[in-house]
Amino acid sequence: MQSLPKAHQACSPCKKHKRKCDKGLPACGLCTRTERACEYNESPQPTPSAGDFAVLQDRITELEDRLSRTPRDSASVASFAPTSSSGTFTDNTQTTRFPSALFLDADCFEWAGMKIPSPTAMIPMDVLTILNQGNGIAGIAQSYFNTIQSWMPFVSKKRIELGTPFRDGGPDLAMLFLAMKLVTTPHEQSGSLYRTVRAFFRTLEDDSILSLRYLQAMILVALYEYSHSIYPAAWLTVGACSRYADIIGLSPSGRCSNAIDTNDSGDVSGALQCAVSLPLSVPQSPFTRLCQSAMFICRVMECRHTSQQVSTEQSISMTNTLTEDLCAFDAILGETASSSPGADEYLSILAPRCLVWSALFLHLDNYCCPEKLGNEPGYPLTGNAKPPEEQLLQVNATLVVRSISDQAHYAALRIAGILDDCLQTQGNLRRISPFVLDALYCTMATFHWVLREGGDDTIRISLEDVKKCLRGLGQGWSLALEYLALEDVYATAPL
C-alpha cells in the first residue's frame, strides 16, 4: 500500500503545544482529532551542521577580504568567529554589569572612570544566513549605496569599501548591515526580515550595547517603518533613536556633520564639521540641508506651542518671522534644484525642500481658515472677528500655501518623469526619498480646499497629477498609498 505524504517538520500547533506530530498531510492526526487548524511552515528549517558553520565563516572572511583594502591581523574578525555549536557567533569578552551611574549621576560616572562594557551579544544563525544570501554583505552595501545613500548619506561608503568597520566588527555591525538590507527590500518581501530585525534589536538592547552603528541601524529601521506606514512602531522607534542619541553623546545641540557627502570620495579636506545655525546662504551638502530642514520642523513645533502662551501681537510677530525664514530657505533650495539638471542631483535636494514645504504647511495651516474674516455670507462679523493684523496674516498665509502647492505640483511632474525612466530602465524607485510624501499629501489637501472655494479645472488637473505621482511612488513606499487612501476622505467629504 502506498504511504501517505509526510511534511518535513511538525505542524505549528503541535510545536506550540509541544505535542508529538505525525506530520500527516494535509493535516496531522492530532489536529484532525481535536478539530483545530493545522498549519505547516512553507519550508523546512533543518538544524545547521558543522559544515554549514564552516561555509558561513568562509564566506564572511572572503567578503571581508574583498571589501578591505588595508592589511589587518587575524584578531580583526574576532567578533564574527564561531565559538560554539549553538548556531551563534560572538566575541569572548567577559560580561560585566552596565554602570547605572551613567543615568543616575553622570559626573560620578566620569570622575570614577567607569567604562561601558563591551558587547557580548551573539549574532543568531538566521541573521548570518540573511547577511550571506546572494552576494552577501557586498550586495547589501551596493544596493544601499545605489538608493538610500543618495538622499540620506549618513553611512560612510568609503569606510566600508576600505574595510574599516570590519576591524572591530561585532553584533552592532551585523545589525547595521541587516537594517541596510531591510530598507532596500520591497515591502511585500520583507515581512520575515522585519521580524528578524526586531528580534535582533531586542537581543542587542538586552546586552546594553551602545555604539554609533547601532544608532544608524535604528534610524534605518525607523525610516523603513515610516516609509511603509508601520504605526505605532515608527513613532516609537523615532523616539527611541532620539533618546539613544542622547545616551551616546549626540544630544540635539544644533550641530550636524558635513563629513559624509553623496560622493563620499574619501577626501579628508572636505570632512568638516558645520553648525546648522550657520547662515542659510552658505553653500552646504544635501545632507546638511536635510538636517537644516528637520531643524525647521522643530522650530515650527516650538512656535505652535509658544504662540498659545503669549499675546496675539507676539504670536503674530513670531509667526511672520518664522514664515520669512522658511520662505528664504525654500528660495535657496529652489535655486539649487533649478541648477541641478541630473535626476540624482535634483532628488538629493528635493528631500530637504519637501521637508521645508511640510514645515510651511504645518506652520500656516491654522491661519488659512476664513472663519470670522469679514461680514460675508456664512461668516458673520461678530465681536470676536479677526483684527486687521490677523486678517493680513491670513492673506499672507494663504498666498504662501498656494505658492508652495504650485511648486510641489511642479515637483510631482518631474518626479513622475523620473519614475517613468526608472520603470523603463529597471531603475530602483528607492532613489526617491519618502520624505517627499507628506508635502505631496498636503498639496492634495490644499487643492481640494481650493476646489471647494470655487477653483477651476486647472486645479483639478493639478490634483490628478499629484495623485498619479503618489501612485507611482507607492510602488516603492507603501506610505504613498496610505496618503492616497486618506485623500479619498477629502474627495467624498460633504461640502
Side-chain angles (χ1 to χ4, degrees):
M1 187 176 76
Q2 185 177 7
S3 61
L4 295 176
K6 296 286 185 179
H8 293 285
Q9 56 185 344
C11 69
S12 298
C14 288
K15 284 184 179 179
K16 179 179 179 181
H17 297 285
K18 299 181 179 180
R19 304 296 298 273
K20 185 176 180 180
C21 179
D22 60 17
K23 305 178 183 179
L25 292 174
C28 73
L30 182 58
C31 288
T32 301
R33 292 195 301 272
T34 57
E35 297 183 350
R36 67 186 179 194
C38 185
E39 298 178 349
Y40 291 96
N41 291 335
E42 295 182 357
S43 58
Q45 301 291 332
T47 302
S49 64
D52 295 329
F53 287 110
V55 171
L56 281 174
Q57 182 59 26
D58 290 341
R59 289 207 61 185
I60 290 175
T61 302
E62 177 187 352
L63 287 170
E64 288 179 348
D65 291 339
R66 188 192 312 169
L67 290 171
S68 177
R69 298 178 183 175
T70 57
R72 64 185 189 273
D73 56 34
S74 59
S76 62
V77 294
S79 298
F80 292 93
T83 58
S84 69
S85 59
S86 60
T88 55
F89 289 67
T90 183
D91 61 18
N92 296 316
T93 307
Q94 179 69 28
T95 302
T96 57
R97 185 173 181 272
F98 191 92
S100 57
L102 178 62
F103 297 91
L104 302 179
D105 191 335
D107 290 335
C108 182
F109 174 84
E110 293 183 5
W111 296 336
M114 299 181 187
K115 302 294 183 181
I116 304 298
S118 299
T120 60
M122 296 180 290
I123 305 175
M125 185 66 183
D126 58 346
V127 170
L128 285 171
T129 301
I130 291 172
L131 294 181
N132 283 278
Q133 290 175 347
N135 291 328
I137 294 174
I140 293 171
Q142 181 180 10
S143 178
Y144 177 85
F145 290 122
N146 287 342
T147 54
I148 310 302
Q149 181 79 355
S150 62
W151 47 265
M152 195 171 177
F154 77 127
V155 176
S156 175
K157 177 181 179 182
K158 194 68 175 182
R159 287 174 59 84
I160 290 181
E161 288 179 342
L162 292 174
T164 304
F166 296 101
R167 298 174 187 174
D168 57 348
D172 56 341
L173 179 61
M175 182 73 253
L176 177 57
F177 278 116
L178 193 65
M180 290 166 65
K181 182 175 179 63
L182 174 67
V183 80
T184 55
T185 300
H187 183 52
E188 61 274 10
Q189 302 174 15
S190 59
S192 60
L193 175 58
Y194 176 61
R195 289 189 292 272
T196 300
V197 168
R198 299 301 308 188
F200 195 21
F201 259 134
R202 289 191 293 269
T203 298
L204 298 186
E205 182 179 301
D206 291 341
D207 193 46
S208 305
I209 190 169
L210 293 180
S211 74
L212 179 60
R213 292 170 186 156
Y214 185 78
L215 175 60
Q216 290 173 311
M218 289 178 66
I219 293 174
L220 290 180
V221 172
L223 177 63
Y224 169 84
E225 293 169 339
Y226 163 76
S227 59
H228 295 299
S229 193
I230 304 176
Y231 288 98
W235 186 270
L236 297 173
T237 306
V238 169
C241 289
S242 178
R243 291 188 295 272
Y244 193 89
D246 186 62
I247 293 175
I248 66 175
L250 295 178
S251 57
S253 59
R255 297 186 63 82
C256 68
S257 173
N258 194 30
I260 304 175
D261 56 37
T262 53
N263 293 325
D264 209 4
S265 61
D267 181 5
V268 295
S269 63
L272 302 175
Q273 291 274 338
C274 65
V276 295
S277 58
L278 283 175
L280 299 175
S281 58
V282 176
Q284 301 291 351
S285 73
F287 182 56
T288 301
R289 294 305 194 195
L290 188 69
C291 295
Q292 290 172 327
S293 300
M295 294 297 292
F296 264 115
I297 293 179
C298 294
R299 285 183 59 186
V300 168
M301 297 300 296
E302 182 180 357
C303 181
R304 286 171 64 95
H305 175 73
T306 306
S307 62
Q308 300 175 3
Q309 303 174 349
V310 298
S311 65
T312 301
E313 293 76 12
Q314 290 176 304
S315 176
I316 292 176
S317 177
M318 291 170 49
T319 301
N320 287 333
T321 299
L322 183 51
T323 301
E324 292 173 0
D325 291 345
L326 280 163
C327 289
F329 188 37
D330 177 49
I332 293 172
L333 297 178
E335 292 178 2
T336 306
S338 62
S339 61
S340 303
D344 289 337
E345 295 82 0
Y346 175 77
L347 291 176
S348 67
I349 204 65
L350 180 62
R353 196 178 187 199
C354 282
L355 287 185
V356 171
W357 291 341
S358 292
L360 279 166
F361 280 122
L362 178 64
H363 180 53
L364 299 176
D365 178 64
N366 290 341
Y367 300 101
C368 292
C369 179
E371 184 181 2
K372 302 177 188 174
L373 177 60
N375 191 15
E376 302 174 6
Y379 305 106
L381 197 62
T382 68
N384 294 325
K386 292 181 178 179
E389 295 82 5
E390 285 191 83
Q391 294 185 34
L392 180 60
L393 174 58
Q394 177 188 315
V395 172
N396 290 335
T398 302
L399 290 174
V400 171
V401 167
R402 284 297 307 272
S403 175
I404 60 177
S405 296
D406 291 338
Q407 295 177 62
H409 169 236
Y410 175 79
L413 293 176
R414 186 158 182 183
I415 292 172
I418 296 174
L419 288 172
D420 290 340
D421 290 341
C422 288
L423 294 177
Q424 294 175 7
T425 61
Q426 296 183 341
N428 199 311
L429 301 180
R430 287 169 184 78
R431 292 166 52 210
I432 304 175
S433 170
F435 295 150
V436 309
L437 299 177
D438 180 75
L440 295 179
Y441 170 71
C442 292
T443 298
M444 286 195 304
T446 300
F447 286 158
H448 272 293
W449 166 60
V450 174
L451 284 173
R452 291 175 181 274
E453 296 293 320
D456 55 23
D457 288 340
T458 302
I459 296 298
R460 198 178 304 278
I461 294 173
S462 298
L463 174 61
E464 292 302 318
D465 289 338
V466 178
K467 292 170 64 175
K468 177 183 176 181
C469 177
L470 280 174
R471 281 193 289 270
L473 290 171
Q475 299 178 61
W477 307 116
S478 303
L479 178 59
L481 303 181
E482 293 293 328
Y483 275 133
L484 277 174
L486 293 177
E487 186 271 341
D488 289 339
V489 177
Y490 285 92
T492 58
L495 294 174

